[in-house]
Amino acid sequence: MGRGGKTVIMVTAGALAALAAGTPPATAEAANGCAELDVCFYRTANDRAQGRPTASYRGVTRFPQELGADAYGAYAVYSALGEERAILHTTATVGGRAYGICLAPHERRVLQPDTVSTVHIDGKAGC
């Protein structure tokens, strides 16, 4: 409560600018059409070139998330995460063992010939 029993609301300059622009900060576009804090997948090279993600994943999870049809077998991926890494699990094996790809914040990567089956945003910083 402020003086005289009135409620005082504090707003940061960034939040005020986002409200004035009509876009909440969490949905701001980072790059390639990918919303900030998302890991975006592009089915084809054309989708990537046009900045049209076909699927996106967000949020720290305890376990890997299975990719849906719009992400499985994607051509490329982009991480618009702030500080967290994303671990991409592939269907390929090396020496009989499946392997993962660590995707750092703001990293772009062409996936093919690999096929990614899951994504795990684990909340840990960098790769």
Side-chain angles (χ1 to χ4, degrees), residues 27-127:
T27 60
E29 187 176 303
N32 276 74
C34 189
E36 209 172 324
L37 305 179
D38 282 0
V39 175
C40 295
F41 290 84
Y42 306 85
R43 287 289 283 153
T44 67
N46 190 47
D47 290 332
R48 180 178 173 214
Q50 298 297 318
R52 289 188 315 243
T54 53
S56 63
Y57 295 82
R58 169 183 290 221
V60 174
T61 59
R62 188 172 177 172
F63 299 103
Q65 301 174 68
E66 293 287 330
L67 298 188
D70 291 333
Y72 190 90
Y75 168 78
V77 64
Y78 172 69
S79 169
L81 297 173
E83 295 178 7
E84 300 85 11
R85 67 185 181 187
I87 306 297
L88 309 174
H89 297 104
T90 68
T91 59
T93 60
V94 173
R97 297 186 63 159
Y99 67 94
I101 299 167
C102 186
L103 191 66
H106 306 288
E107 182 179 352
R108 300 164 207 244
R109 181 181 290 248
V110 172
L111 298 170
Q112 294 180 348
D114 292 327
T115 298
V116 173
S117 59
T118 65
V119 60
H120 186 201
I121 303 167
D122 65 8
K124 295 180 182 170
C127 289

